[in-house]
């Protein structure tokens, strides 16, 4: 090599980081030999063979290939080269352009931690924080359980994401990416075209104690537990699973907060409730659940009735002392409130119901009040007539 440099005074060894082109002369299992213009020989080995572009898979002897210089000369007199580093430089150029032009990229996470998703492209580290995930991928779990969040994030490894770069650090080879930003325009356009009353199709993106989240057109809305079904809903998981396609009705929009309903796409069973149930009707049913103030019975899939403590023999402070879930009972309808969607029942005999007694007293009082109101004009008229006779 020294003699070669003496014979060619203009010749200089390539510097680390320089991009060079050579011809493939040998491809072994873990090593590629490159002829660099008949003057130098380069070697690509180990992890430096693999790059994000999959160059090795299509490489053949005689092909020209671009690589990056790691060492000008090793102990064997070979130039140490890297396909991975060459690809990294090209990738960085791509990332910088995407960052400067605010364009969208496609990436696939390779790992996950409790904070988000990680990727590695030719040694360039990328990170998608949980807060920057789009609604469809955001891990909504009860109580922000970190173990469940991590499990949900691990399910996303290997999936292709559309992202934008929101922070770039070339010196340390790091990127912060955002899936939410990639759908910002789509979200804005979709939101501007929505109005209460619209019906949309979406994907269940989260199920929590208070309802079901549904993602659609880059947006996400909540079906509150009270809007899942007309009847009592104790567990939202009984009505949907993650990834299910569902139809929902938009019932409210406040900024980017969207309220949805599933039950309003079905017929309201309370509209004809009075045709099916009448005050005084006796119904054979079973106790479906117990509360401190009374017992609930399931009258149909969507209709729940309440037997208040005062309508249970002995007026127990806790109905669980005299009743149990699943117990068969015969209850009598004592009240139907269509506006408040409430049916009151009683286990007491007719005439013993506290609610009926109260209603009867109220009715007597109102009748007495009406009679008194009718008497007042008559008394006033009689008094007036007495006064006129006295004056005469």
């Amino acid at each position: 090599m020294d003699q070669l440099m003496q014979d060619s005074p203009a010749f200089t060894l390539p510097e680390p980081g320089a991009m060079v082109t050579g011809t493939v002369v040998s491809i072994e299992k873990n090593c590629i030999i490159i002829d660099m213009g008949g003057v130098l020989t380069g070697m690509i080995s180990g992890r430096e063979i693999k790059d994000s572009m999959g160059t090795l898979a299509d490489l053949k002897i005689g092909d020209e290939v671009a690589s990056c210089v790691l060492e000008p000369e090793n102990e064997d007199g070979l130039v140490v080269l890297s396909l991975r580093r060459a690809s990294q430089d090209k990738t960085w150029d791509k990332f910088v352009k995407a960052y400067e032009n605010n364009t969208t990229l496609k990436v696939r996470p390779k790992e996950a931690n409790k904070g988000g998703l990680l990727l590695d492209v030719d040694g360039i580290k990328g990170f998608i924080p949980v807060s920057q995930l789009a609604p469809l991928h955001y891990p909504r779990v009860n109580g922000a359980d970190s173990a469940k969040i991590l499990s949900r994030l691990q399910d996303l490894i290997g999936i292709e994401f559309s992202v934008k770069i929101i922070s770039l650090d070339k010196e340390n080879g790091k990127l912060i990416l955002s899936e939410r930003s990639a759908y910002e325009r789509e979200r804005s356009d979709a939101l501007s075209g929505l109005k209460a009353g619209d019906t949309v199709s979406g994907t269940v993106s989260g199920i929590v104690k208070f309802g079901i989240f549904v993602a659609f057109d880059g947006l996400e809305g909540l079906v509150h537990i009270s809007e899942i079904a007309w009847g009592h809903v104790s567990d939202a998981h009984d009505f949907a699973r993650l990834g299910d396609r569902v139809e929902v009705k938009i019932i409210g929009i406040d900024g980017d907060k969207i309220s949805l309903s599933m039950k309003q796409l079905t017929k309201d069973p309370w509209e004809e409730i009075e045709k099916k149930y009448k005050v005084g009707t006796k119904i054979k049913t079973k106790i479906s659940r117990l509360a401190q103030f009374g017992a609930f019975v399931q009258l149909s899939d969507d209709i729940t009735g309440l037997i208040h403590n005062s309508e249970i023999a002995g007026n127990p402070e806790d109905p669980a002392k005299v009743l149990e879930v699943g117990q068969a009972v015969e209850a009598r309808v004592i009240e139907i409130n269509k506006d408040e969607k409430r049916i009151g029942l009683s286990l007491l005999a007719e005439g013993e119901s506290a609610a009926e007694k109260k209603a009867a007293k109220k009715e007597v009082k109102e009748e007495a009040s009406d009679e008194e109101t009718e008497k007042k004009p008559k008394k006033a008229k009689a008094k007036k007539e007495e006064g006129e006779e006295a004056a005469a």
Side-chain angles (χ1 to χ4, degrees):
M1 178 64 73
D2 291 339
Q3 184 62 45
L4 178 62
M5 294 183 67
Q6 288 176 7
D7 295 341
S8 307
F11 175 82
T12 57
L13 288 171
E15 295 183 359
M19 293 293 293
V20 296
T21 301
T23 303
V24 177
V25 295
S26 173
I27 302 177
E28 301 298 333
K29 183 177 180 181
N30 202 35
C31 182
I32 302 172
I33 302 299
I34 306 293
D35 174 30
M36 302 172 65
V39 178
L40 296 172
T41 301
M43 177 187 70
I44 308 172
S45 63
R47 68 172 190 164
E48 304 304 326
I49 286 179
K50 296 182 180 180
D51 62 8
S52 63
M53 299 179 183
T55 303
L56 179 61
D58 299 320
L59 205 59
K60 302 184 295 294
I61 292 175
D63 286 349
E64 280 201 351
V65 64
S67 55
C68 180
V69 177
L70 297 183
E71 296 180 36
E73 186 177 23
N74 65 7
E75 58 187 13
D76 296 321
L78 300 174
V79 181
V80 181
L81 304 171
S82 170
L83 285 177
R84 187 177 72 92
R85 180 66 181 274
S87 177
Q88 186 182 80
D89 287 347
K90 293 176 183 176
T91 302
W92 261 118
D93 288 342
K94 180 179 73 174
F95 286 156
V96 169
K97 288 178 181 177
Y99 179 63
E100 292 175 345
N101 298 323
N102 195 35
T103 54
T104 300
L105 298 169
K106 300 287 187 181
V107 298
R108 292 181 184 274
K110 294 184 177 180
E111 296 179 56
N113 61 29
K114 293 175 183 178
L117 299 168
L118 302 96
L119 54 126
D120 185 325
V121 184
D122 295 325
I124 301 170
K125 306 293 183 182
F127 183 59
I128 309 174
V130 169
S131 62
Q132 294 300 321
L133 290 172
L136 185 60
H137 295 136
Y138 190 88
R140 296 191 180 279
V141 299
N142 286 318
D145 187 312
S146 58
K148 290 182 179 179
I149 289 174
L150 179 57
S151 177
R152 288 282 303 276
L153 291 174
Q154 287 173 334
D155 290 339
L156 302 176
I157 294 173
I159 293 176
E160 186 176 75
F161 282 73
S162 293
V163 297
K164 283 187 177 181
I165 301 170
I166 58 175
S167 177
L168 182 147
D169 182 357
K170 187 172 183 179
E171 184 177 344
N172 294 303
K174 294 181 179 179
L175 304 168
I176 303 296
L177 308 168
S178 171
E179 187 188 20
R180 285 181 64 88
S181 295
Y183 291 97
E184 191 172 347
R185 172 161 295 193
E186 181 182 334
R187 283 169 50 83
S188 179
D189 291 344
L191 189 59
S192 64
L194 289 181
K195 64 181 183 300
D198 286 350
T199 298
V200 296
S201 177
T203 302
V204 174
S205 54
I207 305 175
V208 292
K209 291 179 180 179
F210 53 85
I212 298 172
F213 286 92
V214 179
F216 58 96
D217 298 333
L219 302 172
E220 186 177 54
L222 171 67
V223 182
H224 189 267
I225 194 166
S226 62
E227 288 294 330
I228 293 176
W230 291 107
H232 175 73
V233 178
S234 57
D235 188 348
H237 288 86
D238 293 337
F239 294 83
R241 294 177 300 175
L242 283 176
D244 281 356
R245 294 292 296 177
V246 293
E247 293 282 322
V248 290
K249 181 179 180 180
I250 296 171
I251 57 174
I253 302 173
D254 183 7
D256 60 355
K257 183 180 178 181
I258 304 171
S259 298
L260 307 170
S261 176
M262 294 169 67
K263 75 179 187 182
Q264 292 190 32
L265 292 180
T266 61
K267 188 176 181 180
D268 183 355
W270 289 88
E271 289 179 2
E272 299 182 348
I273 190 68
E274 290 160 339
K275 292 181 180 179
K276 191 170 185 180
Y277 302 102
K278 296 185 182 297
V279 172
T281 303
K282 290 184 178 180
I283 301 171
K284 290 183 179 181
T285 182
K286 291 182 179 181
I287 305 297
S288 59
R289 63 189 178 97
L290 296 169
Q292 190 66 38
F293 52 84
F296 289 92
V297 294
Q298 201 70 37
L299 301 178
S300 67
D301 289 342
D302 298 311
I303 303 293
T304 301
L306 170 66
I307 306 171
H308 192 269
N309 288 350
S310 61
E311 300 298 332
I312 301 172
N315 306 135
E317 292 184 2
D318 184 356
K321 293 180 179 179
V322 294
L323 297 172
E324 60 183 31
V325 174
Q327 180 179 338
V329 296
E330 185 176 69
R332 189 164 47 85
V333 178
I334 58 173
E335 179 194 15
I336 297 177
N337 190 322
K338 184 177 177 181
D339 294 334
E340 295 183 11
K341 293 180 170 52
R342 185 178 71 236
I343 294 184
L345 300 105
S346 177
L347 296 180
L348 301 177
E350 189 172 352
E352 294 181 6
S353 165
E356 289 175 326
K357 288 178 180 179
K358 185 177 179 181
K361 286 180 180 179
K362 182 180 179 183
E363 186 176 344
V364 169
K365 187 176 180 180
E366 288 176 349
E367 287 177 357
S369 177
D370 290 342
E371 288 178 5
E372 186 63 29
T373 302
E374 289 179 4
K375 289 178 180 178
K376 282 182 180 180
K378 292 179 180 179
K379 288 181 179 179
K381 183 179 180 183
K383 191 173 182 180
K384 182 181 178 182
E385 290 176 349
E386 287 176 3
E388 289 175 348
E389 288 177 1

